[in-house]
Amino acid sequence: MATLYEHAGGDEALHRVEASFYDKVLADPVLKTLFTERRPHHVDHLTWFTAESFGGPGHFTEELGFDHVIRVHRDLEITDEQRERFVTLYMEAFEEAGLLADERFRAAVRSHADFGARVAQQNSHAKTDADLHPIREVPLWTWE
């Protein structure tokens, strides 16, 4: 069975999805306090993370490491509304790319987005390292 990465179409397809998603969050009134400016490598980093977690190359871990995820979310104090909106826009980007026709893939993407957003939210409120979510590496997501 193909990995989620292969099913999605690899780096090129995921980069298109992440670019669309990034445009959405930058323009979204609920998320504008979290995504305040366009950063030159953000789409690449998002693509690397999704690709690796979907079973693709380990560029995110090799180039940035999971501590990067913790650092960028620390002190953001993500609200429930922002977390939910993030997931909604993420799913929209995949839908608009025509990648969610397979119900099992849709469920896997949804659970990936929900889990990641919850980890980011927890880490955004952590006052100490003990308050951080225990995950310390890019999770490998598979078919439900």
Side-chain angles (χ1 to χ4, degrees):
M1 175 176 275
T3 63
L4 297 175
Y5 172 79
E6 292 163 338
H7 181 81
D11 283 340
E12 185 177 317
L14 289 174
H15 194 273
R16 283 194 309 274
V17 169
E18 298 295 2
S20 171
F21 169 69
Y22 194 49
D23 287 343
K24 290 174 179 295
V25 298
L26 285 169
D28 190 81
V30 174
L31 297 175
K32 67 182 176 184
T33 59
L34 301 177
F35 295 90
T36 58
E37 64 182 340
R38 184 172 296 275
R39 297 192 177 149
H41 301 292
H42 205 159
V43 172
D44 290 339
H45 296 170
L46 290 168
T47 302
W48 293 349
F49 186 89
T50 302
E52 185 170 339
S53 65
F54 280 13
H59 298 307
F60 190 88
T61 296
E62 294 164 8
E63 299 294 327
L64 297 172
F66 198 80
D67 285 344
H68 176 77
V69 173
I70 294 170
R71 278 192 312 276
V72 299
H73 293 105
R74 205 84 187 249
D75 299 321
L76 289 178
E77 298 186 353
I78 298 168
T79 66
D80 288 341
E81 180 185 23
Q82 290 169 323
R83 176 183 47 78
E84 291 166 7
R85 186 68 181 148
F86 180 96
V87 172
T88 296
L89 295 179
Y90 193 76
M91 295 303 292
E92 278 181 16
F94 270 88
E95 183 73 49
E96 290 168 3
L99 295 176
L100 296 182
D102 182 296
E103 194 55 43
R104 289 176 57 232
F105 185 74
R106 174 188 294 273
V109 171
R110 177 58 172 225
S111 67
H112 174 262
D114 283 336
F115 178 77
R118 288 185 186 284
V119 169
Q121 184 180 33
Q122 180 176 339
N123 291 345
S124 78
H125 290 274
K127 299 301 180 211
T128 69
D129 287 352
D131 297 331
L132 292 168
H133 190 280
I135 192 168
R136 293 294 184 275
E137 60 186 30
V138 176
L140 177 59
W141 228 254
T142 60
W143 296 93
E144 294 280 323

